[in-house]
């Protein structure tokens, strides 16, 4: 099975900061990677699909990049609503695998 | 618009089974597979398996093989996920998810004696 590893596990940042989250796959997944935001008690919300495509309605301060095994999610200017946990997910092979999550908290 | 509406919270005893439903609307039922994902308290997301609404073929994560059964009812546009031989570690929120974009609201399943 493909393993997904996110770093860091926790990120402390301030409003207005530029933040970058990393996700690594144990083998190549081409561009079949999604990023989700999850807040307590809520279902995950899709932000980015196919590694770099912004889901409709998601603010443009979110961007994704990467291919193969290395991927990043960047928030260009952190907003109060962005403090949450972020998950990457591969969907290359019909089997989904998620990273363990990165919690973005207020510094 | 696409909607996935799941059944309500369940409390079960160890060893019992639970069946969670996911009613789909706003799209052609047979056009998209349905995935099931769970999330234990304070933990990450865990994929359980997928069902093809055309014919009902399934693929399960190895961890759940033998304990999970995914089915669908085309007459009511509803998907089901049944998990048997429940243990305390199965306490989690269970989600149905049609591709990456559309998720149900989640169903809390609590396993407790």
């Amino acid at each position: 099975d493909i393993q997904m590893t996110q770093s860091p596990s926790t990120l402390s940042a301030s409003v207005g900061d530029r933040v970058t989250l990393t996700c690594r796959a144990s083998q190549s997944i081409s561009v079949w990677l999604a990023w989700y935001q999850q807040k307590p008690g809520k279902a995950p919300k899709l932000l980015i699909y196919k590694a770099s495509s912004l889901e409709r309605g998601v603010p443009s301060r979110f961007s994704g990049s990467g291919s193969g095994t290395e991927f990043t999610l960047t928030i260009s200017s952190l907003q109060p609503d962005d403090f949450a946990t972020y998950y990457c997910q591969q969907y290359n092979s019909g089997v989904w695998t998620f990273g363990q999550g990165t919690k973005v908290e207020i510094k | 618009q696409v909607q996935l509406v799941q059944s309500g919270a369940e409390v079960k005893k160890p060893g019992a089974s639970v069946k969670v439903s996911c009613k789909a609307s706003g799209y052609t039922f047979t056009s998209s597979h349905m995935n099931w994902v769970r999330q234990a308290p304070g933990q990450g997301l865990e994929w359980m398996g997928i069902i093809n609404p055309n014919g009902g073929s399934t693929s399960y994560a190895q961890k759940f093989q033998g304990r999970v059964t995914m089915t669908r009812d085309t007459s009511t546009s509803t998907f089901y996920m049944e998990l048997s031989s429940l243990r305390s570690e199965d306490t989690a929120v269970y989600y149905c998810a049609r591709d990456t974009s559309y998720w149900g609201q989640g169903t809390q399943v609590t396993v407790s004696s």
Side-chain angles (χ1 to χ4, degrees):
Chain A
D1 287 359
I2 300 173
Q3 309 300 317
M4 306 301 292
T5 303
Q6 289 185 241
S7 60
S9 297
T10 306
L11 189 158
S12 297
S14 302
V15 172
D17 284 354
R18 179 183 181 89
V19 300
T20 299
L21 286 59
T22 299
C23 178
R24 289 188 174 87
S26 61
Q27 64 190 73
S28 178
I29 57 170
S30 183
V31 293
W32 303 113
L33 184 101
W35 288 96
Y36 296 90
Q37 178 192 71
Q38 188 179 35
K39 296 183 178 179
K42 299 293 188 181
K45 173 188 174 184
L46 179 67
L47 301 174
I48 302 286
Y49 63 96
K50 213 172 174 184
S52 60
S53 296
L54 190 68
E55 174 72 346
R56 193 184 330 182
V58 173
S60 59
R61 63 181 180 272
F62 292 93
S63 64
S65 65
S67 65
T69 61
E70 299 271 338
F71 302 87
T72 59
L73 173 71
T74 299
I75 309 173
S76 60
S77 177
L78 202 61
Q79 298 302 301
D81 190 50
D82 301 339
F83 292 97
T85 299
Y86 293 83
Y87 293 95
C88 65
Q89 174 216 22
Q90 70 81 20
Y91 53 106
N92 177 60
S93 54
V95 173
W96 289 4
T97 316
F98 296 89
Q100 80 280 15
T102 293
K103 184 177 182 179
V104 177
E105 58 182 30
I106 301 172
K107 191 171 185 179
Chain B
Q1 72 284 20
V2 175
Q3 279 197 305
L4 302 175
V5 179
Q6 297 184 222
S7 49
E10 303 262 14
V11 179
K12 295 292 183 180
K13 293 196 182 302
S17 297
V18 69
K19 192 170 187 177
V20 178
S21 68
C22 170
K23 184 171 177 59
S25 62
Y27 71 99
T28 301
F29 180 75
T30 51
S31 67
S32 296
H33 292 52
M34 188 63 69
N35 296 269
W36 289 89
V37 175
R38 77 176 187 179
Q39 187 171 36
Q43 302 301 307
L45 299 162
E46 182 175 34
W47 183 80
M48 300 179 69
I50 187 170
I51 180 169
N52 183 343
N54 290 296
S57 62
T58 55
S59 176
Y60 303 137
Q62 189 167 5
K63 176 177 179 176
F64 300 102
Q65 291 273 4
R67 279 210 305 145
V68 70
T69 304
M70 296 177 187
T71 57
R72 91 283 184 237
D73 183 340
T74 56
S75 68
T76 60
S77 298
T78 303
F79 293 91
Y80 299 92
M81 187 285 301
E82 184 170 22
L83 190 62
S84 63
S85 302
L86 290 169
R87 35 206 187 233
S88 58
E89 310 89 88
D90 295 316
T91 293
V93 177
Y94 290 76
Y95 294 101
C96 57
R98 194 213 87 169
D99 56 59
T100 53
S101 299
Y102 301 103
W103 291 58
Q105 83 276 18
T107 296
Q108 174 70 53
V109 174
T110 302
V111 183
S112 174
S113 54

